[in-house]
Amino acid sequence: MGLSPTSTYGEVIMYSNAAFYNLRRGNPFTAYGETFMVMVQTVVVVFLIWRYGEEDKKGGRTNNVGVVCGAYLVYLFVVFYVLTQDTIYILMVYNPIVLLTSRGSQILANHQQKQTGAQSLATTGMNLTGSLIRTVTTIKEVGWDFHILRSYGVSITLNMILFTQIVMYRENTKRMLDDIKQKKKE
């Protein structure tokens, strides 16, 4: 039950898209500073996954690291040298897709397994609350930017579903975690 590298890469792109979109649009740092810092933290998590994660049996970690770093450098080049002010919105078009893919797959897995594993009610609640607050601060500081608000709307909806699943499947999750603890003792 570790972190999925693919899901974490998606989060890096999602947070990068939001941070760089705001930066390139000239929005106040207070409107995206938290997102920028979460992007940096998620990049650190990627490095930790590379350092402490299991080796890839097919080609080794070195191949994956090289491909991911190369792809991110190309991404940065596109963001800062190819996209214009008229096309920068493209960054935010992809965020709901990434959110639906990563959190949607988690919602589906929770539904199929009827438990939520190590997902935290507190963390999911903070994610939900944070998205609600960021929606309000975005409207106040940036205005009615459809691309940003759409991403927050999708995030709020998916976090509400995850929050509900954690509450609904609490007993099943507790039994599953207790079973794991018992097996470790044996």
Side-chain angles (χ1 to χ4, degrees), residues 51-129:
R51 172 67 178 97
Y52 297 106
E54 294 181 21
E55 286 287 336
D56 180 359
K57 306 295 185 234
K58 295 177 185 169
R61 187 175 296 136
T62 305
N63 290 344
N64 292 338
V65 170
V67 168
V68 170
C69 287
Y72 195 71
L73 288 173
V74 169
Y75 165 82
L76 290 173
F77 177 80
V78 169
V79 167
F80 290 102
Y81 296 103
V82 175
L83 295 178
T84 65
Q85 286 299 315
D86 293 333
T87 59
I88 198 71
Y89 73 91
I90 290 170
L91 293 176
M92 294 305 287
V93 167
Y94 289 105
N95 276 6
I97 297 166
V98 174
L99 273 169
L100 285 169
T101 302
S102 64
R103 294 200 184 138
S105 63
Q106 185 64 61
I107 288 167
L108 180 61
N110 292 347
H111 174 72
Q112 290 170 337
Q113 298 168 10
K114 303 296 186 219
Q115 52 94 358
T116 58
Q119 292 174 65
S120 164
L121 184 66
T123 301
T124 303
M126 287 187 285
N127 286 338
L128 175 58
T129 303

Side-chain angles (χ1 to χ4, degrees), residues 78-183:
V78 169
V79 167
F80 290 102
Y81 296 103
V82 175
L83 295 178
T84 65
Q85 286 299 315
D86 293 333
T87 59
I88 198 71
Y89 73 91
I90 290 170
L91 293 176
M92 294 305 287
V93 167
Y94 289 105
N95 276 6
I97 297 166
V98 174
L99 273 169
L100 285 169
T101 302
S102 64
R103 294 200 184 138
S105 63
Q106 185 64 61
I107 288 167
L108 180 61
N110 292 347
H111 174 72
Q112 290 170 337
Q113 298 168 10
K114 303 296 186 219
Q115 52 94 358
T116 58
Q119 292 174 65
S120 164
L121 184 66
T123 301
T124 303
M126 287 187 285
N127 286 338
L128 175 58
T129 303
S131 293
L132 289 165
I133 291 169
R134 282 189 297 277
T135 300
V136 174
T137 58
T138 296
I139 293 169
K140 182 178 181 258
E141 294 192 24
V142 177
W144 292 89
D145 187 312
F146 171 75
H147 302 294
I148 297 173
L149 295 175
R150 177 187 54 218
S151 288
Y152 289 147
V154 171
S155 181
I156 289 166
T157 302
L158 296 174
N159 282 320
M160 286 175 108
I161 294 169
L162 286 169
F163 189 88
T164 302
Q165 285 182 322
I166 291 170
V167 172
M168 279 178 36
Y169 299 139
R170 178 176 270 161
E171 289 303 315
N172 291 348
T173 301
K174 183 180 180 325
R175 277 193 295 275
M176 185 270 310
L177 293 174
D178 288 344
D179 288 347
I180 290 172
K181 285 180 189 175
Q182 186 63 33
K183 288 178 185 175

Side-chain angles (χ1 to χ4, degrees), residues 9-19 35 95 98-99 102-103:
Y9 300 155
E11 287 187 17
V12 168
I13 293 301
M14 185 180 66
Y15 292 126
S16 295
N17 283 349
T35 301
N95 276 6
V98 174
L99 273 169
S102 64
R103 294 200 184 138

